[in-house]
Structure formats: structure tokens, C-alpha cells
């Protein structure tokens, strides 16, 4: 399922033959690693479970149904719900969502406990995500159980869920602070018992990408079932960790919309897809309705009363805004020079910022054209220097820059068509990497 | 400089002997990799260069000086400024900041061009960060120069800057889409010419963590100078990529406050330190005034008119808020169960959320104590069930929960000291990983 090198496009922006080496359609594609699932991962969308643990979250039944339908339409593979054991309304909501007849499979996330499992099975879900803490921290300070008890209980609950014909995942909590031998022994046992997925959870957000890769790769060699992964974002690595988990052979990634969840949350749905569409564009674009991502994020942001972060991947207000002059020039020539994501894939548009002192004449030239005016390059350079001079004194808006351009153009008309000279030094100097 | 295993603390929360394996003071420390710089990295703070390319940024001289002083006091190693060639005010601001006499070294970021270098040297900076695009994308669509020209110009500019006694870094732009042989040849040449640092820049935000590790590790074997790294965040991996670069032997990381920069920005200062303090607590805490991070972020957020993202590492409003009942229980026993960062390190406090249907009786018990009331555990469990029942019907505030607790306590007092029974089933059911 991995991307393969296509032949170099014949069109290729007309530059065939001018490059010393052939262009590749996507230089970031996986390089034939048969364990990698970068091009065939599945999403377990947990806004209605992990997301409910976000400080501001309160989802009534109507909201939950609205989210579930939107996520289903977006194309997620699974929708995970809060345990029916959490409260009576949680239980009723599980039942209601199971009755919607969505394409996505419905899961609920329950403690490794027979009573919770029974209650979950009775709601009509397609599967149970079972969890128990395995780190010494949690074994001591949370549930107080030892590994023998955990293994025994896990096997009982798994057998029960399987006997009901449902999917079952078994996950540790705080996997990266659990003893490796304990973890592998436990997962090997539940794999043999026929669990559908084992789960690796970075419950506290401490894991680093190469550590994730190593653990998942090791686990991949121990179990034959699918591997689900869950990454908290306390240290800002939740997207990268999910990516490395897929490289190592994980099959499923837990997400929530905008990453909402306990503390500062988990791998965000939109951010993960920003990462994955770069690596596996055909798979991601064919499977998920990417142009819906802003609408879904806005819906969830409104429900939990937060703003979409200014720097959010894809939908942050400036994600496709180019400001430095040298960027603007290249972007206007070919957007892929300074863009790895194409805003059109998400139903969005790019914006080349020209009203600042970092602007360059190429950006201003484009604006002159947008205003329906005609100038020579030297004239554009002269008006660029006027814009930069004002922007040195105070912040300027598009209107300010437009006024300068229009006023300058008027002067040109009054003076006839002669082009001013001597301003070639005003090149694009806003440099960036 | 890497962290070493200390002996297991004798105090150790009084649990010595109850664990099957010894506790380690920090299970995430580097494992004796001599190339890793996780415990000795340096920060090149670029809010006043990359940050100025943020869509909303306009920094007047007063603002720039305020930022420079705050970042210097925070403890960053370098402060990078916009090129003096960008505008006359940019040039004057370089001169003014160089005259402040800060501990941090002052850099400016200029094109690989002799005129720009001359202008930069004349401002009084401690060093120049020189950059040129090396990818075929940029060579074609931006500056139009070939590798032979790039190498020749680089060597001339480097020789000039060194002749002035200043530090010089040479960086490519868009390094991850540049030809590897071109890149290594160029860096080998500038290394031999005595450059202080070479720079790897993920200009478009396309790189993934293991790709970063591989490129930096390869480069580490080719050059003997320092290696600076610069990561854009378009696909959400900027913190993780910086971390993997340090693991591979990079020495310097570019940051900006809140990550502001071109498009959705670069590795954020606070987010990077959240990541690094987990790995190298002694180094990070001794070097950087972590309790100033919120003040610095607030200052920059105000200047560029954005809100700190709700999910920002460390300073997002809920970064230390615990909601699920099962979390609350463990957090109250021992915060490290569900926290990898200690809020006190940043002058912040944790908050255990108890006014929701995901609450558990341990969280409510703590609140009962905070209200100065006394109840048995069974009584706490009964009032917990009352709180969860109301929270099922509508979102509840702390005041609502407090009212229920006080009302229930009043009833208990009216009925004498007899404890209600039969509510043991109301345990902490808000489960999470």
C-alpha cells in the first residue's frame, strides 16, 4: 500500500532537463519497508472518550450524536465512546450512538473488569477497548494489582468479550514506564488468547519518537494481532510519536479533534492527517474528506469553548500565509517551494502577505495585478520601497499598502507612461529558513 | 553531560522494598550515547527574526529591546535578529540591541551575499547566520544559482566574516529536499573553511523524526563544527524533530516564543523545554529560568495579538488539569503517576477537576477537605453519586459541586454522626489512557 515512485511528470512545470537529477513525485515516501503502515493506518477517533476528559468538555446526547455523525462522514474507522460505567447518561449515549447505523465501528473504553465489560457489551457496541495500568507507578498508586492478577483478569475479560462476538483490544496504561518484560509477557498472552489489538499508551506524554519506534518494533515481533497507539502531548511529540509508531508497524492511531483530552490532550486528528498526507497522499486523500476538517474542528472548538490555536496545523489562521519577501517570490513561481501541504486539499487558500517591511517586490507585483493596475518591474520596486518605508514606522494593513500602490500608480499616470529608474536595490530581503 | 542513574532514593515515598525492581530517578535519561547532546544543547532564540515573519508580527524598537532583555534573562544562548538588509529600521534595531550588553550572543540572519554580510558586520553583532537555498526547488524557483556558485560564494562570505573576528554559521534552506551529496559536499567545504556551525533547516516542515536523526547523524560524521537545526511545524513535528536532531549529535536548536514564524511557525521555546526537562532535568533547570516561561509567552502573545493555544505545552490553561476519576485518585496519591512535568518547575499549579460526571470519589474527598468538612469515605461516595447525577443532566461548575457537598454535609449534621451506607458502587469510573 506504500506510495511508489511515479515516472517523472512530462509536464513537470517545463523544467525537465534543467535538473541534474530526476524529480521524484514525492521525495518523502516510505522506502519499501514492509512493516511500515504509513500508507495503510486506521484511525480510532476518541473525541467522545478522551475528548470528554478535556477540562472544558461537557457533551450532551445531541452533541455526541452530531460529533459521531460528522466523524463518520469524515471517514474515521472507529469512534470510541466513554465507558457506560462512568454514568447513566454515558451508558444511554452509548446505546443511542450504536443505533445510528454508522459506517464507523463503535467502541467503548472500559476498565479491565468483568462488570464494566458486561455493561459495555449490553450497549450494542462493536468492540471494547480494555485498559489497565501496568507501570509500577500505577500498580502502586492507582489500582494496587500485581502482574499475575492483571494477566488473569485480562484473559477472563477477553474471553468473555470474544464469546459475545465483539472486537476486543487490550491496552496497558503508561506503557513507556512499564517494565518491558512484563509488558511483552502480558501482550504475548493476550495475543495468544485471540485479542484483536494490543494497545501502547503514552499516558503521561513522556515518550520520544525513537523510543516509540523501538518499543513498537519490538512488540511487532512478539504479537501477531494489530497494534493500537495512544499518545499524550505534554511534551509536544504526540503527532511525531504516532508517525514513528506507524513506521514501526503499528496499525491504529488514537486521535481526537484538536487533540482535546486529559491535560493538554493527545494526537490531534487534523495534525496527524497533515503529517500523513505528506507521506501517503493517495491513501489519505482517497479515504478521508480532508475539506471537512475545518468544519469539524470549528464544531468541536465551539462545543468546548476554545479557539482553534493560532498555530494549528492546516487550520491555524496563518498556516498558509507567506510573509518573507524571498518566500513570496518563490511561492508565486511555484507553491511547492515553501509549502509541503497544498491548501486546496483542505478546501483552504494560501495568502501572500505583502503589507510589511519584510515584503519583496514580487509579492507587491502580484498585488498590483490583483488591483488591475499595470507597472513595469522598476516601478513595482519603487512602490515596494515606499511600502517598506511606511511599514518601518508603524504596522500597516492591506488597505494602507493598497493606498500607496494606487497613489503611486496615479502619479505615474499623471506623469505619462515613463518608468522611474534607479530603484533596483530594493529587492526582496526578508530572508528565512 | 548526560544524566546518570542516581542511587534509588532511600525516602522514595516510603515504598522501598515494595517494588520488584529498583526505581530509577529518571527512566528517560539517555543511555550513554556519546554523540547525543540531549544534556548540553544550546538555544538560538529567533523570535526577533523568524518570529518577525509571523503574519501578525510588527515589532517596534521598544518591543524588540523588551523581548531581547527578557530572553537574555531567561537564559537563551543566542538571540537572532532580522537581517539589517530587510529595512533601515531593521538595521538600526540590530545596532541598538548589540549595544545592550546582553549575556546572550547577538546574531543576524542574512543571505549568502557579500553586501548583506558587510551591512551585518557593521551593526556590531557577535555573529552571522548565513543562508542559501540548496534544494532543486529553491535553486530553480528562487535564486536560480547552481551548486558551484553557491559553494564559491559561501566560501567568500565565510572568509570575510571570519576576517572580522565574528562567528559564522552557514545553512542551507530546505535541507530535507536537497540532494544529499550536494549538501554533504557543501558542508564539508565550509567546515574546512572554519565555519562555526553548519545549519540544517526544514524550511517547509516536511521532515519526520527518524529522517532528521539519519541526516544529522550522517552530517555529524562529515563535519567537525557545531550543527544548528531549524524546524518548521507544518506537520506538527517541530519539537520532536529538534529532539531527534540533538540525539543524533546536533548542538543548537532554533526556537521562537510560542513557535511564531512563517506560516504556522517553528519549534516553540516552551514546548522544546517541556520536552528537554523530562530528559535532562538538571541541565535544563540549572540553565533556564523556567518559571519565567509564562510571562515571556504572555508578552509575545500580546504583542502579536494571539491567544496562547489552549493546548500549549506547560502554559495551556489545562496542561496540569486532571479530570478523569481514576487519574484524580492516583494524582492525589502521587502526582508522577499522571504527570511527567512538575507544574512547580514552571511556577504553576496542578488542578484536580472534580465537577464533572467523570469525577471519582477521591477527587471529591480532596474537595471536601479543602472546604474544611469531614466525612467518612462512604459519605464521600454518596455525595459523589449526587454530583455525577447532576453532571449527567447539565454542565456543572465548581460552585454547583460545592453546593451539593455543603448541602449533603448539612444533612449529615442534622441527622447526627451516623454514616449513610450502601454506596460502595460509586467508584472512580472515568477511565483513560
Amino acid at each position: 500500500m506504500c506510495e511508489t515512485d511515479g515516472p517523472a511528470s512530462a509536464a513537470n512545470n517545463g523544467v525537465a532537463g534543467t535538473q541534474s537529477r530526476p524529480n521524484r513525485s514525492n521525495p518523502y515516501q516510505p522506502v519499501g519497508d514492509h512493516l511500515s503502515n504509513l500508507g495503510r493506518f486506521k484511525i480510532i477517533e476518541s473525541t467522545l472518550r478522551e475528548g470528554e476528559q478535556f477540562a472544558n468538555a461537557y457533551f450532551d446526547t445531541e452533541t455526541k450524536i452530531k460529533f459521531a455523525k460528522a466523524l463518520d462522514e469524515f471517514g474515521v474507522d472507529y469512534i470510541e465512546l466513554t465507558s457506560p460505567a462512568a454514568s447513566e447518561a454515558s451508558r444511554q449515549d452509548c446505546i443511542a450512538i450504536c443505533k445510528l447505523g454508522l459506517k464507523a465501528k463503535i467502541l467503548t473504553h472500559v476498565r479491565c473488569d468483568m462488570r464494566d465489560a458486561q455493561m459495555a457489551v449490553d450497549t450494542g457496541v462493536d468492540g471494547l477497548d480494555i485498559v489497565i495500568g501496568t507501570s509500577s507507578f500505577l500498580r502502586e498508586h492507582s489500582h494496587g494489582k500485581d502482574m499475575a492478577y492483571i494477566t488473569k483478569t485480562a484473559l477472563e475479560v477477553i474471553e468473555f468479550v470474544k464469546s459475545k462476538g465483539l472486537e476486543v483490544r487490550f491496552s496497558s496504561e503508561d506503557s513507556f514506564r512499564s517494565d518491558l518484560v512484563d509488558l511483552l509477557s502480558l501482550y504475548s498472552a493476550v495475543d495468544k488468547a485471540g485479542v484483536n489489538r494490543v494497545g501502547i499508551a503514552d499516558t503521561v506524554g513522556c515518550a520520544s519518537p525513537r523510543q516509540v519506534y523501538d518499543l513498537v518494533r519490538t512488540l511487532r515481533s512478539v504479537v501477531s494481532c494489530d497494534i493500537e497507539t495512544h499518545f499524550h502531548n505534554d511534551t509536544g511529540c504526540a503527532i511525531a510519536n504516532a508517525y514513528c509508531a506507524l513506521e514501526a508497524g503499528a496499525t491504529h492511531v488514537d486521535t481526537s479533534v484538536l487533540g482535546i483530552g486529559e491535560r493538554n490532550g493527545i494526537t490531534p486528528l487534523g495534525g496527524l492527517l497533515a503529517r500523513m498526507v505528506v507521506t501517503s497522499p493517495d491513501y489519505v486523500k482517497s479515504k478521508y474528506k480532508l475539506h471537512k476538517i475545518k468544519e469539524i474542528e470549528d464544531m468541536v472548538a465551539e462545543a468546548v469553548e476554545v479557539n482553534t490555536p493560532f498555530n494549528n496545523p492546516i487550520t491555524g489562521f496563518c498556516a498558509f500565509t507567506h510573509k518573507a519577501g524571498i518566500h513570496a517570490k518563490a511561492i508565486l513561481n511555484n507553491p511547492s517551494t515553501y509549502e509541503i501541504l497544498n491548501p486546496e486539499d483542505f478546501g483552504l487558500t494560501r495568502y501572500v502577505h505583502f503589507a510589511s517591511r519584510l515584503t519583496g517586490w514580487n509579492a507587491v507585483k502580484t498585488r498590483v495585478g490583483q488591483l488591475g493596475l499595470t507597472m513595469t518591474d522598476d516601478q513595482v520596486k519603487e512602490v515596494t520601497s515606499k511600502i517598506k518605508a511606511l511599514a518601518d514606522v508603524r504596522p500597516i494593513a492591506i488597505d494602507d499598502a493598497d493606498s500607496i500602490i494606487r497613489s503611486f500608480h496615479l502619479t505615474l499616470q499623471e506623469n505619462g507612461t515613463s518608468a522611474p529608474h534607479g530603484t533596483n536595490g530594493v529587492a526582496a530581503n526578508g530572508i528565512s529558513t
Side-chain angles (χ1 to χ4, degrees), chain A:
Chain A
M1 301 285 288
C2 295
E3 299 301 305
T4 53
D5 255 327
S9 161
N12 207 7
N13 293 320
V15 296
T18 67
Q19 300 295 314
S20 57
R21 291 176 180 76
N23 276 355
R24 293 166 59 170
S25 59
N26 171 17
Y28 299 100
Q29 62 212 358
V31 286
D33 181 333
H34 297 295
L35 285 189
S36 163
N37 287 315
L38 291 175
R40 55 189 170 201
F41 63 94
K42 289 184 176 168
I43 290 177
I44 295 180
E45 228 297 327
S46 190
T47 301
L48 292 175
R49 195 282 291 178
E50 179 71 46
E52 234 196 337
Q53 292 172 222
F54 177 57
N56 276 16
Y58 171 86
F59 303 142
D60 58 21
T61 307
E62 189 188 355
T63 304
K64 286 186 182 176
I65 288 175
K66 186 171 69 174
F67 285 10
K69 285 180 173 173
L71 291 165
D72 184 53
E73 196 191 341
F74 182 76
V76 301
D77 304 86
Y78 291 86
I79 293 173
E80 188 183 63
L81 308 178
T82 294
S83 170
S87 76
E88 176 56 19
S90 301
R91 193 179 73 82
Q92 294 290 347
D93 292 342
C94 268
I95 295 170
I97 290 171
C98 289
K99 286 183 179 161
L100 294 176
L102 302 178
K103 291 187 295 294
K105 288 187 182 175
I106 308 300
L107 303 172
T108 186
H109 185 258
V110 297
R111 289 182 299 192
C112 186
D113 174 281
M114 197 61 95
R115 283 176 307 170
D116 286 17
Q118 179 69 62
M119 198 186 282
V121 165
D122 291 343
T123 62
V125 293
D126 299 301
L128 269 61
D129 280 352
I130 290 169
V131 66
I132 192 163
T134 44
S135 73
S136 60
F137 291 91
L138 291 176
R139 280 157 48 199
E140 177 193 346
H141 297 288
S142 181
H143 54 68
K145 308 295 195 295
D146 64 17
M147 288 306 296
Y149 177 89
I150 290 172
T151 308
K152 178 173 167 290
T153 310
L155 294 175
E156 284 172 7
V157 174
I158 290 164
E159 187 183 17
F160 167 71
V161 179
K162 284 178 60 71
S163 77
K164 300 294 181 178
L166 303 187
E167 275 195 23
V168 58
R169 177 216 73 186
F170 178 82
S171 180
S172 56
E173 261 193 306
D174 204 6
S175 314
F176 291 87
R177 297 195 297 182
S178 297
D179 182 274
L180 182 61
V181 177
D182 283 351
L183 211 58
L184 296 178
S185 304
L186 179 59
Y187 284 5
S188 175
V190 299
D191 182 46
K192 289 191 180 73
V195 80
N196 296 84
R197 299 184 300 281
V198 290
I200 288 289
D202 181 18
T203 307
V204 297
C206 65
S208 64
R210 293 175 60 249
Q211 187 183 18
V212 169
Y213 184 88
D214 290 347
L215 179 57
V216 174
R217 199 81 169 192
T218 302
L219 180 60
R220 183 68 289 169
S221 70
V222 169
V223 298
S224 58
C225 62
D226 283 345
I227 298 176
E228 176 179 341
T229 54
H230 181 94
F231 297 103
H232 276 263
N233 207 20
D234 299 74
T235 61
C237 293
I239 295 171
N241 285 344
Y243 184 85
C244 287
L246 293 175
E247 284 186 306
T251 51
H252 294 66
V253 176
D254 291 2
T255 69
S256 69
V257 176
L258 292 171
I260 61 168
E262 193 80 34
R263 303 186 311 282
N264 78 335
I266 64 165
T267 306
L269 176 64
L272 178 70
L273 291 177
R275 176 65 255 174
M276 301 315 299
V277 77
V278 170
T279 307
S280 305
D282 296 343
Y283 178 74
V284 170
K285 290 184 204 175
S286 67
K287 187 164 180 195
Y288 301 105
K289 295 212 172 75
L290 295 182
H291 61 282
K292 293 269 186 193
I293 191 68
K294 184 167 191 312
E295 187 181 317
I296 289 175
E297 289 186 352
D298 287 348
M299 177 180 73
V300 171
E302 188 185 340
V304 298
E305 299 179 342
V306 299
N307 295 309
T308 296
F310 76 88
N311 55 2
N312 210 47
I314 302 171
T315 56
F317 81 96
C318 51
F320 297 106
T321 297
H322 303 273
K323 184 167 173 185
I326 200 169
H327 284 207
K329 174 184 174 184
I331 279 281
L332 294 167
N333 274 338
N334 178 349
S336 71
T337 48
Y338 285 102
E339 266 175 8
I340 195 69
L341 299 172
N342 182 352
E344 291 168 20
D345 287 341
F346 310 97
L348 302 170
T349 52
R350 80 176 53 82
Y351 174 64
V352 178
H353 195 313
F354 65 95
S356 92
R357 63 184 166 206
L358 303 183
T359 196
W361 70 274
N362 291 281
V364 174
K365 184 177 177 181
T366 302
R367 186 63 183 171
V368 167
Q370 287 171 340
L371 294 175
L373 307 177
T374 308
M375 294 188 197
T376 66
D377 283 356
D378 278 347
Q379 288 166 345
V380 171
K381 286 174 184 173
E382 185 169 343
V383 76
T384 301
S385 72
K386 292 178 188 293
I387 292 171
K388 289 164 83 87
L390 180 62
D392 252 356
V393 181
R394 64 173 175 83
I396 64 171
I398 293 177
D399 285 352
D400 295 315
D402 284 354
S403 297
I404 296 169
I405 293 169
R406 288 183 193 283
S407 160
F408 180 77
H409 188 257
L410 202 62
T411 312
L412 292 180
Q413 287 184 307
E414 288 166 1
N415 296 347
T417 56
S418 66
H421 290 293
T423 57
N424 289 326
V426 191
N429 286 315
I431 294 166
S432 107
T433 47

